[in-house]
Amino acid sequence: MLSLATVGFALNFWAWALLSPLGPMLQEGLRLSALSQALVVAVPVVVGSLGRIPVGALTDRYGGRVMFPVVSVVTILPVLFLGLVGHSSLVSLLVGGFVLGMGGTAFAVGVPFVSAWFPPRRRGLAIGIFGAGMGGTAISALTTVNLVKAWAFAAPFVVTAVALAVYAIVAAVVLRDAPGRATPRESLGRRLVAVARLPITWQASALYAVAFGGYVAFSVYLPAYLKTAYGLAQADAANRMAGFVVLAVLMRPVGGWLSDRIGPVRVLTSVLGVVGVAAALQAAKLPLMPWATLAFLAMAAALGAGSGAVFALVGMLAPAEQVGSVTGVVGAAGGLGGFVPPLLMGALYGAFGSYALGLAALALVALAALLFTVTRVRSKAPRPRLEIA
């Protein structure tokens, strides 16, 4: 069940990230401004983020067996639209990207689905493994531009749509919800109100907005940043972004495993410190090799581990029947955290011809999140019991 959920998450995230590697190509073909290009890649992020709130609550009610196929089938529609007809104008890109955001809601399906299959002491690692499905963005980065060049603009979209269709069929037949899964009986509105009253909802939301939001922001905007700031070719920039994504993906289960062992608060304080230092250094526009590369890789590792730690915290503190609803709100915060930075970076570069202010702002936000973790979150999180072999 964990493997099937992870594959479903990866495929939907692959679809969710299709526009990002094509950003420079669309900018040149449609003569988009830097801000318009940022908006094209950011719209699926914000829609997919806000959509996690109702999708997470629906997963609490109907389970992942129903919601994984539904989300996958719905995502096929904008994928085909964008690949076949929707890439000819800014308006059609924004409309298609708006619906494409549905792919990003798969995260809110998987976390409660996986959580129900594992006891609390193992949820950090299990959710971390599931979270590695965000590597779907790496698949997009590595294949999208190459498929367009080798075949046609529609090629990566058609391939993704076929993969989603096959998964939807397999999920409908094979997926099973955990025995004894807690099912809420209240209405959607009452459940969301109850979730809003939980301290863990807002604490985890703030931290995930920084951790996963930073990951999303870089995964969608890094190709444009590298091309503009360092003059890299589009394919080279996309490949480097894929390296960033792969490292973040690999570190997410590590962050969950470490949280099971030493506690999510300790993990979060460490990784937020790394993000703050690396972003502050990169604000000075370090030479690409090796220093800027090392700075971005350090941020990738820290953001990936931090994302895993946040949901280890959710698994520990959220009531079992509300994990999906809490995940929806927290996941929305993470996605929204990834929506603002690309727009801010594009606007700042357009105004000042430099990305330094945007990276400096990231360093300050990471520092603020670190202080919040130490002062507010630490008192609520239980201390793990270390098992010595």
Side-chain angles (χ1 to χ4, degrees):
M1 294 302 105
L2 174 59
S3 298
L4 283 172
T6 304
V7 170
F9 180 32
L11 290 176
N12 278 278
F13 250 44
W14 177 9
W16 196 39
L18 280 171
L19 290 178
S20 174
L22 298 173
M25 183 182 297
L26 293 170
Q27 182 184 32
E28 293 176 2
L30 299 177
R31 298 181 179 179
L32 302 178
S33 66
L35 184 58
S36 295
Q37 179 192 357
L39 188 61
V40 166
V41 298
V43 162
V45 174
V46 69
V47 175
S49 303
L50 293 175
R52 292 175 186 178
I53 297 175
V55 168
L58 288 170
T59 303
D60 280 340
R61 179 67 180 86
Y62 297 106
R65 182 184 182 184
V66 171
M67 295 303 296
F68 260 124
V70 168
V71 168
S72 300
V73 168
V74 172
T75 303
I76 292 172
L77 302 177
V79 168
L80 290 177
F81 170 77
L82 287 167
L84 298 177
V85 298
H87 56 273
S88 58
S89 71
L90 176 60
V91 173
S92 60
L93 281 171
L94 293 177
V95 171
F98 184 91
V99 187
L100 185 64
M102 187 67 181
T105 67
F107 180 74
V109 178
V111 170
F113 176 82
V114 171
S115 293
W117 277 101
F118 291 88
R121 71 179 186 278
R122 298 177 61 195
R123 284 178 186 161
L125 177 58
I127 296 174
I129 292 172
F130 166 76
M134 67 186 188
T137 55
I139 299 174
S140 179
L142 291 170
T143 63
T144 301
V145 174
N146 291 332
L147 285 172
V148 168
K149 290 182 176 180
W151 297 96
F153 188 90
F157 296 87
V158 173
V159 170
T160 307
V162 171
L164 285 170
V166 171
Y167 176 77
I169 295 171
V170 172
V173 174
V174 179
L175 275 185
R176 295 291 183 272
D177 290 306
R181 181 180 69 88
T183 303
R185 299 185 180 275
E186 297 83 2
S187 66
L188 175 63
R190 288 185 177 180
R191 280 184 282 143
L192 291 178
V193 169
V195 165
R197 294 174 177 170
L198 295 173
I200 181 57
T201 302
W202 304 110
Q203 292 173 353
S205 293
L207 295 172
Y208 203 57
V210 178
F212 186 70
Y215 161 80
V216 170
F218 279 117
S219 66
V220 300
Y221 199 71
L222 195 57
Y225 172 85
L226 292 173
K227 182 179 179 183
T228 303
Y230 291 100
L232 297 185
Q234 180 178 339
D236 191 9
N239 288 337
R240 289 174 185 269
M241 184 271 274
F244 178 97
V245 169
V246 168
L247 181 56
V249 167
L250 293 175
M251 288 301 296
R252 186 156 183 160
V254 174
W257 177 77
L258 286 173
S259 297
D260 287 341
R261 300 289 295 174
I262 65 174
V265 170
R266 290 181 180 177
V267 177
L268 285 165
T269 53
S270 299
V271 300
L272 289 170
V274 171
V275 172
V277 171
L281 291 173
Q282 184 55 28
K285 192 183 176 183
L286 301 172
L288 182 60
M289 293 297 295
W291 304 115
T293 299
L294 291 175
F296 279 116
L297 290 178
M299 282 192 279
L303 292 169
S307 297
V310 170
F311 275 97
L313 190 68
V314 170
M316 289 179 183
L317 299 181
E321 71 279 4
Q322 293 178 303
V323 171
S325 299
V326 173
T327 296
V329 176
V330 176
L336 290 175
F339 174 72
V340 176
L343 297 179
L344 181 63
M345 294 284 275
L348 288 173
Y349 185 82
F352 301 102
S354 172
Y355 292 111
L357 289 177
L359 289 162
L362 172 61
L364 292 175
V365 169
L367 176 60
L370 189 156
L371 294 175
F372 175 73
T373 302
V374 171
T375 59
R376 297 295 301 274
V377 180
R378 183 185 294 275
S379 62
K380 303 295 183 181
R383 294 182 178 180
R385 297 176 62 184
L386 295 179
E387 298 177 3
I388 302 175

